[in-house]
PDB file of all heavy atoms in Angstrom:
ATOM      1  N   VAL I  32      -6.708   0.107  10.668  1.00  0.00           N
ATOM      2  CA  VAL I  32      -6.590   1.187   9.686  1.00  0.00           C
ATOM      3  C   VAL I  32      -5.552   2.216  10.153  1.00  0.00           C
ATOM      4  O   VAL I  32      -5.562   2.641  11.304  1.00  0.00           O
ATOM      5  CB  VAL I  32      -7.971   1.863   9.458  1.00  0.00           C
ATOM      6  CG1 VAL I  32      -7.818   3.221   8.780  1.00  0.00           C
ATOM      7  CG2 VAL I  32      -8.867   0.938   8.630  1.00  0.00           C
ATOM      8  N   ALA I  43      -9.885  12.499   2.225  1.00  0.00           N
ATOM      9  CA  ALA I  43     -11.258  12.083   1.941  1.00  0.00           C
ATOM     10  C   ALA I  43     -11.375  10.571   2.018  1.00  0.00           C
ATOM     11  O   ALA I  43     -10.617   9.859   1.374  1.00  0.00           O
ATOM     12  CB  ALA I  43     -11.689  12.576   0.564  1.00  0.00           C
ATOM     13  N   GLY I  51     -17.069   1.675   7.297  1.00  0.00           N
ATOM     14  CA  GLY I  51     -16.303   2.042   8.496  1.00  0.00           C
ATOM     15  C   GLY I  51     -15.918   3.507   8.598  1.00  0.00           C
ATOM     16  O   GLY I  51     -15.147   3.895   9.471  1.00  0.00           O
ATOM     17  N   PHE I  62     -16.174   9.209  20.697  1.00  0.00           N
ATOM     18  CA  PHE I  62     -17.552   8.794  20.963  1.00  0.00           C
ATOM     19  C   PHE I  62     -17.569   7.308  21.291  1.00  0.00           C
ATOM     20  O   PHE I  62     -18.435   6.817  21.997  1.00  0.00           O
ATOM     21  CB  PHE I  62     -18.462   9.054  19.744  1.00  0.00           C
ATOM     22  CG  PHE I  62     -18.733  10.512  19.478  1.00  0.00           C
ATOM     23  CD1 PHE I  62     -19.258  10.907  18.246  1.00  0.00           C
ATOM     24  CD2 PHE I  62     -18.491  11.484  20.434  1.00  0.00           C
ATOM     25  CE1 PHE I  62     -19.532  12.250  17.987  1.00  0.00           C
ATOM     26  CE2 PHE I  62     -18.749  12.829  20.186  1.00  0.00           C
ATOM     27  CZ  PHE I  62     -19.275  13.209  18.949  1.00  0.00           C
ATOM     28  N   GLU I  64     -14.659   3.794  21.932  1.00  0.00           N
ATOM     29  CA  GLU I  64     -13.266   3.470  22.253  1.00  0.00           C
ATOM     30  C   GLU I  64     -12.719   2.427  21.288  1.00  0.00           C
ATOM     31  O   GLU I  64     -13.436   1.500  20.904  1.00  0.00           O
ATOM     32  CB  GLU I  64     -13.181   2.909  23.673  1.00  0.00           C
ATOM     33  CG  GLU I  64     -13.317   3.962  24.729  1.00  0.00           C
ATOM     34  CD  GLU I  64     -12.461   3.678  25.962  1.00  0.00           C
ATOM     35  OE1 GLU I  64     -11.886   2.566  26.051  1.00  0.00           O
ATOM     36  OE2 GLU I  64     -12.361   4.576  26.811  1.00  0.00           O
ATOM     37  N   GLU I  67      -8.389  -1.801  19.488  1.00  0.00           N
ATOM     38  CA  GLU I  67      -6.950  -1.921  19.285  1.00  0.00           C
ATOM     39  C   GLU I  67      -6.477  -0.677  18.563  1.00  0.00           C
ATOM     40  O   GLU I  67      -7.248  -0.036  17.859  1.00  0.00           O
ATOM     41  CB  GLU I  67      -6.690  -3.141  18.378  1.00  0.00           C
ATOM     42  CG  GLU I  67      -5.580  -4.067  18.832  1.00  0.00           C
ATOM     43  CD  GLU I  67      -5.331  -5.117  17.759  1.00  0.00           C
ATOM     44  OE1 GLU I  67      -6.220  -5.955  17.530  1.00  0.00           O
ATOM     45  OE2 GLU I  67      -4.263  -5.070  17.133  1.00  0.00           O
ATOM     46  N   GLY I  74      -1.143  14.527  18.382  1.00  0.00           N
ATOM     47  CA  GLY I  74      -0.316  13.660  19.219  1.00  0.00           C
ATOM     48  C   GLY I  74      -1.029  13.078  20.433  1.00  0.00           C
ATOM     49  O   GLY I  74      -0.494  12.192  21.095  1.00  0.00           O
ATOM     50  N   LYS I 121     -20.589  40.354  18.336  1.00  0.00           N
ATOM     51  CA  LYS I 121     -21.621  40.243  17.301  1.00  0.00           C
ATOM     52  C   LYS I 121     -20.993  40.352  15.912  1.00  0.00           C
ATOM     53  O   LYS I 121     -21.399  39.671  14.972  1.00  0.00           O
ATOM     54  CB  LYS I 121     -22.662  41.358  17.475  1.00  0.00           C
ATOM     55  CG  LYS I 121     -23.704  41.067  18.533  1.00  0.00           C
ATOM     56  CD  LYS I 121     -25.094  40.920  17.893  1.00  0.00           C
ATOM     57  CE  LYS I 121     -26.032  40.118  18.791  1.00  0.00           C
ATOM     58  NZ  LYS I 121     -26.299  40.812  20.083  1.00  0.00           N
ATOM     59  N   LEU I 129     -21.079  35.368   7.188  1.00  0.00           N
ATOM     60  CA  LEU I 129     -20.888  35.826   5.803  1.00  0.00           C
ATOM     61  C   LEU I 129     -19.840  34.965   5.108  1.00  0.00           C
ATOM     62  O   LEU I 129     -19.995  34.588   3.947  1.00  0.00           O
ATOM     63  CB  LEU I 129     -20.478  37.302   5.776  1.00  0.00           C
ATOM     64  CG  LEU I 129     -21.585  38.305   6.121  1.00  0.00           C
ATOM     65  CD1 LEU I 129     -21.013  39.715   6.237  1.00  0.00           C
ATOM     66  CD2 LEU I 129     -22.705  38.270   5.071  1.00  0.00           C
ATOM     67  N   GLY I 154     -23.411  25.145  10.893  1.00  0.00           N
ATOM     68  CA  GLY I 154     -22.559  24.160  11.563  1.00  0.00           C
ATOM     69  C   GLY I 154     -21.082  24.420  11.289  1.00  0.00           C
ATOM     70  O   GLY I 154     -20.236  24.306  12.193  1.00  0.00           O
ATOM     71  N   ILE I 157     -19.870  27.417  13.266  1.00  0.00           N
ATOM     72  CA  ILE I 157     -19.588  27.035  14.662  1.00  0.00           C
ATOM     73  C   ILE I 157     -18.235  26.318  14.744  1.00  0.00           C
ATOM     74  O   ILE I 157     -17.433  26.574  15.644  1.00  0.00           O
ATOM     75  CB  ILE I 157     -20.733  26.155  15.209  1.00  0.00           C
ATOM     76  CG1 ILE I 157     -21.990  27.013  15.378  1.00  0.00           C
ATOM     77  CG2 ILE I 157     -20.346  25.505  16.539  1.00  0.00           C
ATOM     78  CD1 ILE I 157     -23.272  26.221  15.531  1.00  0.00           C
ATOM     79  N   ASP I 162     -12.098  27.334  16.386  1.00  0.00           N
ATOM     80  CA  ASP I 162     -10.697  27.670  16.129  1.00  0.00           C
ATOM     81  C   ASP I 162      -9.762  26.497  16.413  1.00  0.00           C
ATOM     82  O   ASP I 162      -8.676  26.663  16.973  1.00  0.00           O
ATOM     83  CB  ASP I 162     -10.306  28.891  16.994  1.00  0.00           C
ATOM     84  CG  ASP I 162      -9.094  29.605  16.422  1.00  0.00           C
ATOM     85  OD1 ASP I 162      -8.826  29.428  15.222  1.00  0.00           O
ATOM     86  OD2 ASP I 162      -8.412  30.320  17.186  1.00  0.00           O
ATOM     87  N   PRO I 177     -26.524  21.240  -5.900  1.00  0.00           N
ATOM     88  CA  PRO I 177     -25.216  21.475  -6.535  1.00  0.00           C
ATOM     89  C   PRO I 177     -24.563  22.801  -6.140  1.00  0.00           C
ATOM     90  O   PRO I 177     -23.358  22.861  -5.935  1.00  0.00           O
ATOM     91  CB  PRO I 177     -25.538  21.443  -8.028  1.00  0.00           C
ATOM     92  CG  PRO I 177     -26.739  20.578  -8.135  1.00  0.00           C
ATOM     93  CD  PRO I 177     -27.539  20.847  -6.885  1.00  0.00           C
ATOM     94  N   MET I 217     -12.336   2.768   1.636  1.00  0.00           N
ATOM     95  CA  MET I 217     -12.550   1.786   2.695  1.00  0.00           C
ATOM     96  C   MET I 217     -13.545   0.745   2.241  1.00  0.00           C
ATOM     97  O   MET I 217     -14.489   1.046   1.499  1.00  0.00           O
ATOM     98  CB  MET I 217     -13.049   2.476   3.960  1.00  0.00           C
ATOM     99  CG  MET I 217     -12.029   3.484   4.472  1.00  0.00           C
ATOM    100  SD  MET I 217     -12.493   4.235   6.009  1.00  0.00           S
ATOM    101  CE  MET I 217     -12.480   2.815   7.044  1.00  0.00           C
ATOM    102  N   ALA I 251     -15.459 -12.651  -2.211  1.00  0.00           N
ATOM    103  CA  ALA I 251     -16.507 -13.200  -1.354  1.00  0.00           C
ATOM    104  C   ALA I 251     -16.806 -14.672  -1.668  1.00  0.00           C
ATOM    105  O   ALA I 251     -16.534 -15.126  -2.761  1.00  0.00           O
ATOM    106  CB  ALA I 251     -17.787 -12.388  -1.504  1.00  0.00           C
TER     107      ALA I 251
END
Side-chain angles (χ1 to χ4, degrees):
V32 163
F62 290 165
E64 285 215 351
E67 226 187 293
K121 279 246 158 64
L129 287 173
I157 290 164
D162 201 21
M217 299 184 64

